[in-house]
Amino acid sequence: MTPSPPLADLAPARMPRLDTRPAGWAVSPGPVDYPRAVEAMERRAEAIADGEAGELVWLLEHPPLYSAGVSAKPADLLQPDRFPVFRSGRGGQYTYHGPGQRVAYVMLDLRARGRDVHAFVASLEAWLIAALARLDVVGETRDDRVGVWVETRGPDGAVLENKIGAIGVRLRRWISFHGVSLNVAPNLGHFDGIVPCGIADHGVTSLADLGFQAPMSDVDEALRAAFEEIFGPIAPETPPA
């Protein structure tokens, strides 16, 4: 596998809190139903906006489902009866969530982090890239499309670009919710029911597809360390009810 560049080169975008207060960090041990997760996430985001709760990053997995962002095109849902389909208020188009994919719902207060939406998205991308670097995987961004990509070689030697990390966020009262997903070891065939993120010219991949075999806990540790590098300190917290 290609050696990773230094972490500082991979993660130039940073967005720490101005007051250095730690963000909560919660990990759910089992699958969480999508509607329940969205309800809990929106409730927490509202409490953050009202000053009644602190920031939270919530790591979880979902049962298989398709989620439609605000820009989703009906024609991109190729198999509407394959899995449950949920409309979502996040940015982006159709995506898949399911077992083996680490979803991180990111509820941060951008009032304390500079109120810069473009810097926030860049920081989310830098977070995933820095986490992948800790796993000796080179992730990259592209100017014409959001997300994190890896380059591989096809059978004919051609360079392929496949998406390994997706980003879809929403802001309300400068509080972020929804977040990112990283393909660890999902069933990649489940992406066949949609045009992922509306991009038909490139595929999707996963850490397992790249030959990475390790428990989700190793990925979570990489995400935790990289988050602190990009966004600042965290404090363990119980997952939302």
Side-chain angles (χ1 to χ4, degrees), residues 23 27 50 75 79 169 172 176 203 222:
V27 182
D50 291 337
Q79 300 175 17
V169 293
R172 181 185 296 150
S176 68

Side-chain angles (χ1 to χ4, degrees), residues 26-46:
V27 182
S28 289
V32 180
D33 288 340
Y34 187 79
R36 183 173 78 82
V38 171
E39 180 183 1
M41 174 175 52
E42 293 198 353
R43 188 167 59 244
R44 179 60 173 257
E46 192 71 17

